[in-house]
Amino acid sequence: MYTDPHAIYLNLSCLDFLLVELIPMSERVVEVIGERKTSNGNAMPAILSEKDGRIGEEERRGAVFKHVEGLGYRVGQGLVERFSQDRPRFTDVLDVMKFICKDLWHLIFRKQIDNLKTNHRGVYVLTDNSFRLLMRMSTEVGGLDTVTRAQPYLWFPCGVLRGALANLGVQATVVAETTAIPVAVFHIQALRQD
């Protein structure tokens, strides 16, 4: 672990506030970029709908995902760069995953991942049964509506995981899902390094 167990490296309240604003801010950024492309006449047909020149819902969601996940990617790279510099290089992908589940997750969320499963063929499933970023999430409708609206808030942690893995030498795809608040399940597919 780290030399000073009482040192605070990451303020959890600041992380919560960041993520509360990150999704709406990214949606506004994507909307402004879409409007700017239509006003310049340089509209990209794949992103803009034919009806009114505005961004289609699915394309907007994809653009927001790319923006939020990209921000998380850079944060994950920086965290691993800072907090693994005194460790010897990992030789096995499973050791990298154990580092992510124990040390990095504890650094970010003050707890370890609740469950790590693997098929030993490059697929890893990380389960956090009380994911901090979803703990206080709810909507007026509740239930399925809350789960649907919570999904974009998992994109940043997906980026953090992907960036951390990339900085540790593991290229991977990371997808997260939640079926019940506050459970978060991260599916990681390590890409072959041939």
Side-chain angles (χ1 to χ4, degrees), residues 2-20:
Y2 308 107
T3 55
D4 183 4
H6 302 291
I8 297 175
Y9 296 108
L10 184 72
N11 187 309
L12 292 177
S13 296
C14 287
L15 181 62
D16 285 347
F17 291 135
L18 169 72
L19 289 178
V20 164

Side-chain angles (χ1 to χ4, degrees), residues 142-159:
L144 187 58
D145 183 56
T146 303
V147 169
T148 303
R149 289 183 181 219
Q151 190 65 39
Y153 293 90
L154 296 174
W155 297 341
F156 184 81
C158 282

Side-chain angles (χ1 to χ4, degrees), residues 92-95 97-98 116-125 188-190 192:
D92 185 19
V93 177
L94 186 57
D95 291 335
M97 290 300 169
K98 288 178 183 176
L116 166 64
K117 293 181 182 178
T118 181
N119 67 356
H120 298 286
R121 293 186 195 124
V123 177
Y124 301 88
V125 179
I188 299 171
Q189 172 69 54
R192 299 199 121 206

Side-chain angles (χ1 to χ4, degrees), residues 61 134 137-139 142-154 177-183:
R61 187 172 172 85
L134 300 180
M137 205 168 268
S138 67
T139 61
L144 187 58
D145 183 56
T146 303
V147 169
T148 303
R149 289 183 181 219
Q151 190 65 39
Y153 293 90
L154 296 174
E177 66 179 356
T178 182
T179 54
I181 302 294
V183 178

Side-chain angles (χ1 to χ4, degrees), residues 42-105:
N42 299 330
M44 298 188 318
I47 294 196
L48 302 173
S49 66
E50 295 98 27
K51 292 182 202 171
D52 59 0
R54 297 188 56 89
I55 296 175
E57 181 61 31
E58 193 171 314
E59 291 84 8
R60 184 186 62 79
R61 187 172 172 85
V64 171
F65 166 77
K66 188 174 180 180
H67 185 259
V68 171
E69 200 263 353
L71 293 171
Y73 183 85
R74 180 59 194 115
V75 169
Q77 283 183 319
L79 285 173
V80 165
E81 188 174 313
R82 168 69 175 92
F83 293 107
S84 70
Q85 65 187 2
D86 297 331
R87 294 179 166 270
R89 268 323 246 184
F90 296 104
T91 57
D92 185 19
V93 177
L94 186 57
D95 291 335
V96 170
M97 290 300 169
K98 288 178 183 176
F99 170 76
I100 297 286
C101 292
K102 291 180 180 179
D103 297 333
L104 186 67
W105 211 258

